[in-house]
Amino acid sequence: MAVDAIGLTAPSQSTVAQNAGISQDDFLRILLTQLRFQDPLKPIDNQQFVAQLAQFSALEINRQQSEKIDTLLTIQGADQAVALLGRSVDVATGSGSISGVVSAISFASGEPRLTVRTAVTTLVDVRLSDVALVR
């Protein structure tokens, strides 16, 4: 899950697709296919097999680290949102910047959304990335 920090833009879908890479299941399928179709008279060299298993272990460690980083980013986004309660903020909108006070926080799909009260109206579902300035 991607969580936007204050002032950052969300990554586009094309960026996410480019970083997808090979999954653990893909690696297992490749390894099993290689073992299934190897020449019985010339089996895979032990060093190559151990090197491939080490790559598989590294892939699993990277996947676990990625999950932990995603969890950490989620917690950081929630911490940032809670820290904004009662603070004056400027929210970037399509027509300019609107100033107001953060009065509430909700979590839509695990992502923090702010409620900002202005002198005229109340903005609902404001993303952290839309906050331009905190006073």
Side-chain angles (χ1 to χ4, degrees), residues 12-24 26 59 63 66:
S12 65
Q13 290 296 342
S14 62
T15 305
V16 175
Q18 289 175 355
N19 293 336
I22 187 170
S23 71
Q24 178 181 3
D26 294 335
L59 179 68
R63 185 191 61 77
S66 177

Side-chain angles (χ1 to χ4, degrees), residues 54-134:
Q55 288 175 345
F56 175 71
S57 296
L59 179 68
E60 177 63 19
I61 289 169
N62 286 338
R63 185 191 61 77
Q64 290 174 356
Q65 286 176 342
S66 177
E67 287 177 359
K68 290 177 182 178
I69 288 172
D70 287 344
T71 302
L72 183 62
L73 288 172
T74 301
I75 292 169
Q76 182 183 14
D79 285 347
Q80 284 181 349
V82 169
L84 292 177
L85 271 173
R87 308 247 347 233
S88 295
V89 295
D90 287 350
V91 178
T93 63
S95 60
S97 182
I98 298 174
S99 295
V101 176
V102 178
S103 61
I105 301 170
S106 64
F107 290 89
S109 303
E111 182 180 343
R113 300 293 175 119
L114 307 174
T115 301
V116 179
R117 287 196 182 149
T118 66
V120 179
T121 185
T122 300
L123 302 173
V124 182
D125 286 339
V126 176
R127 297 175 58 151
L128 286 177
S129 60
D130 294 334
V131 176
L133 178 68
V134 179

